Each structure stands twice: as structure tokens, then as C-alpha cells.
């Protein structure tokens, strides 16, 4: 039988322990524990309504209502930390639906992700003080370095409005914006949704390269099992708000409880 829990260790990028969350009288999560070891890509799968979005929302701080249990990011308990401050402990998130400013350029959208690293204030930025100009130049250089991680997909389009891009490139812009926060943990909520097989294969390889080159830990929610199999060291399976299985993809696919949850 597949293990359904893992003991947290010092240095884990993410540790969720015994998380229980209720909406009114309905339990969305019941005693969920998930660990993402530093530098690994961990999968999170489950049928619709299994609690995947609720778990991601609690981890990211999008939902801060009352819950029981503990969420630690890079060793920091983030229970009382608002979403915008979680970037300071090394977390960034990609939403299921793309959230970009369509009338801004690729570069402008990506630069928005670097706001957590700005030392100059709003007034200095308006007045374009020497320090503010230097900082903006540094951020633009970093944005171009991030775009370069995706080969020739974004850099030649840096000055284009994002509304002119393909779906796959819009997703790359969103990932690039998240990378501007210099995350150690990246939450990816169905990044391949809406992509054709070629686009899926290409982005899969780019995520693998990011993980290997920059040691970014990832929690990946994805319905495409081929992607999970290609990227993830281990997988957690949620069903009705509980973890019913945890382990390597090959073991998960043969687990009777998992087969029943998906098919039955």
C-alpha cells in the first residue's frame, strides 16, 4: 500500500502538516500533509472537487480564513502572513487562469514581478532619482535574463503587448513574472491547461531545465499524467479532501484507491 504521509525535514521547501479546512459545514481538507523537499518537483493530482485548489489557496495565502494545521515555507510558519509577504520567504504562484495585463508589454508584465526587490519608494520612482533609475536598469537586466531562460520565445517579443501572444507564450510570461521574485518554491496550478501536445512538451522541458539549473522547488497541480510522469519525483493524490496515496508515479498508477477515485 502506498504511503500517504512523509516526515518533514529541516530544509524542506514546503511542509504542510495535518491541514484541515472547512467551508461552513463542509470539510474541504481533512488532515492533509504534504512535503516538497528542497530542489524537487512534487505532483498534486486528484479528481475535480478533491481539494487541490483549496490546498494551493491556503499555501499561497489566497485563503486566510480559519484552518487547523501548519504551513511552513522554507522553515517559516506562514499562518499569519498575507499573500504578498510570502514572496519574502521564497514562494511564488502561477494561477490556473492566466492573469496578465493585456495592454502592457511582455517586459512590463514581467517587471511587475520584481516589486518585492525594489528598495526605492513610490516618490523616488516618480521623480526618477539616480537610485531609482539604477534600480530600474538592474530590474530590466534581470527581466531580460529571465526571458532568456525560455530561449527565443520571449526576448524577441519583449516590446509586444501580451494580448498579441499565443497562449503558450502568455503562460511563459506569467512564469517569468513569478521568477522575478527569485522564488525557492513555485506553486504551479495546471500550467499546461489549454496547450497542444507540442506546447506541453516544450514547457515541460523548460520547467525541468529551471528546476535543474536554478534548483527551484515546485508543487505541480496537473491533469496531464504524462507531464506528472516526466517531471515529478513523487506524487500526492487527493480525493474528497484527504491524501489517499503518496509515492512515485508508477506506484500511484497501480494503487486501487487511486484508480477508484479517478474512475469511480
Amino acid at each position: 500500500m502506498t504511503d500517504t504521509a512523509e516526515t518533514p525535514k529541516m530544509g524542506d521547501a514546503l511542509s504542510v502538516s495535518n491541514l484541515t479546512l472547512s467551508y461552513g459545514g463542509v470539510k474541504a481538507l481533512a488532515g492533509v500533509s504534504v512535503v516538497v523537499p528542497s530542489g524537487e518537483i512534487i505532483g498534486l493530482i486528484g479528481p475535480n472537487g478533491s481539494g487541490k485548489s483549496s490546498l494551493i489557496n491556503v499555501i499561497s495565502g489566497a485563503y486566510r480564513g480559519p484552518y487547523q494545521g501548519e504551513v511552513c515555507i522554507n522553515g517559516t510558519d506562514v499562518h499569519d502572513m498575507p499573500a504578498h509577504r510570502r514572496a519574502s520567504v521564497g514562494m511564488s504562484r502561477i494561477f490556473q487562469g492566466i492573469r496578465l495585463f493585456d495592454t502592457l508589454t511582455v517586459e512590463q508584465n514581467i517587471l511587475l514581478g520584481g516589486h518585492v526587490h525594489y528598495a526605492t519608494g513610490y516618490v523616488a520612482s516618480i521623480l526618477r532619482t539616480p537610485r531609482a533609475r539604477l534600480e530600474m536598469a538592474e530590474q530590466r537586466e534581470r527581466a531580460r535574463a529571465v526571458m532568456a531562460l525560455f530561449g527565443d520565445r520571449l526576448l524577441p517579443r519583449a516590446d509586444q503587448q501580451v494580448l498579441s501572444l499565443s497562449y503558450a507564450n502568455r503562460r511563459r510570461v506569467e512564469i517569468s513574472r513569478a521568477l522575478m521574485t527569485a522564488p525557492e518554491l513555485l506553486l504551479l496550478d495546471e500550467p499546461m491547461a489549454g496547450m497542444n501536445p507540442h506546447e506541453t512538451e516544450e514547457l515541460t522541458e523548460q520547467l525541468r531545465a529551471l528546476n535543474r539549473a536554478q534548483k527551484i522547488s515546485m508543487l505541480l497541480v496537473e491533469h496531464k499524467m504524462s507531464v506528472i510522469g516526466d517531471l515529478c519525483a513523487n506524487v500526492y493524490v487527493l480525493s474528497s479532501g484527504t491524501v489517499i496515496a503518496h509515492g512515485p508515479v508508477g506506484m500511484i498508477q497501480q494503487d486501487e484507491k487511486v484508480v477508484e477515485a479517478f474512475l469511480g
Side-chain angles (χ1 to χ4, degrees):
M1 184 166 60
T2 309
D3 291 333
T4 58
E6 185 175 328
T7 304
K9 308 178 190 68
M10 290 295 294
D12 287 329
L14 173 68
S15 174
V16 177
S17 302
N18 298 314
L19 183 62
T20 297
L21 171 67
S22 297
Y23 298 117
V26 179
K27 274 192 177 179
L29 300 169
V32 170
S33 294
V34 170
V35 172
V36 178
S38 181
E40 292 191 13
I41 304 177
I42 300 299
L44 179 65
I45 65 173
N48 292 333
S50 61
K52 301 185 302 295
S53 293
S54 293
L55 178 57
I56 293 292
N57 284 337
V58 171
I59 295 169
S60 67
Y63 179 82
R64 294 188 62 213
Y67 63 83
Q68 296 175 311
E70 184 179 69
V71 177
C72 290
I73 297 173
N74 293 313
T76 299
D77 188 337
V78 297
H79 189 282
D80 296 320
M81 188 178 290
H84 69 274
R85 285 195 54 218
R86 298 191 187 197
S88 68
V89 294
M91 186 220 76
S92 195
R93 173 183 181 176
I94 304 300
F95 288 88
Q96 184 174 347
I98 292 176
R99 300 186 180 187
L100 296 172
F101 294 93
D102 284 345
T103 57
L104 296 183
T105 68
V106 169
E107 183 184 61
Q108 287 168 337
N109 269 278
I110 293 171
L111 283 170
L112 290 172
H115 73 279
V116 296
H117 299 299
Y118 280 85
T120 53
Y122 180 69
V123 174
S125 297
I126 292 176
L127 296 176
R128 294 183 57 80
T129 64
R131 175 57 187 162
R133 292 198 302 271
L134 176 61
E135 195 167 51
M136 176 54 72
E138 291 171 346
Q139 289 296 315
R140 291 191 69 181
E141 184 177 350
R142 173 166 172 74
R144 290 188 170 268
V146 168
M147 283 186 272
L149 296 171
F150 294 96
D152 62 355
R153 295 303 186 184
L154 296 183
L155 261 178
R157 300 171 174 84
D159 296 324
Q160 293 182 20
Q161 290 183 328
V162 295
L163 58 81
S164 69
L165 301 182
S166 68
Y167 181 90
N169 277 336
R170 287 164 62 86
R171 180 62 85 185
R172 292 185 181 98
V173 171
E174 194 166 46
I175 294 173
S176 296
R177 184 175 61 186
L179 293 175
M180 285 292 288
T181 69
E184 297 173 59
L185 171 67
L186 192 56
L187 307 179
L188 296 157
D189 195 353
E190 297 191 35
M192 314 295 179
M195 291 189 183
N196 63 40
H198 175 72
E199 292 169 336
T200 297
E201 183 179 353
E202 188 173 38
L203 186 55
T204 297
E205 183 52 43
Q206 288 165 339
L207 289 177
R208 181 187 292 112
L210 280 173
N211 170 254
R212 289 176 176 173
Q214 301 196 16
K215 308 302 181 186
I216 299 175
S217 311
M218 303 180 191
L219 180 62
L220 173 64
V221 179
E222 183 55 61
H223 282 295
K224 298 178 180 180
M225 286 304 297
S226 61
V227 174
I228 293 289
D230 284 343
L231 288 177
C232 299
N234 283 290
V235 183
Y236 288 86
V237 185
L238 278 179
S239 180
S240 301
T242 62
V243 176
I244 61 170
H246 163 236
V249 176
M251 291 176 60
I252 290 295
Q253 291 175 323
Q254 299 176 32
D255 190 293
E256 293 182 0
K257 298 192 300 298
V258 175
V259 174
E260 183 179 355
F262 276 91
L263 300 180

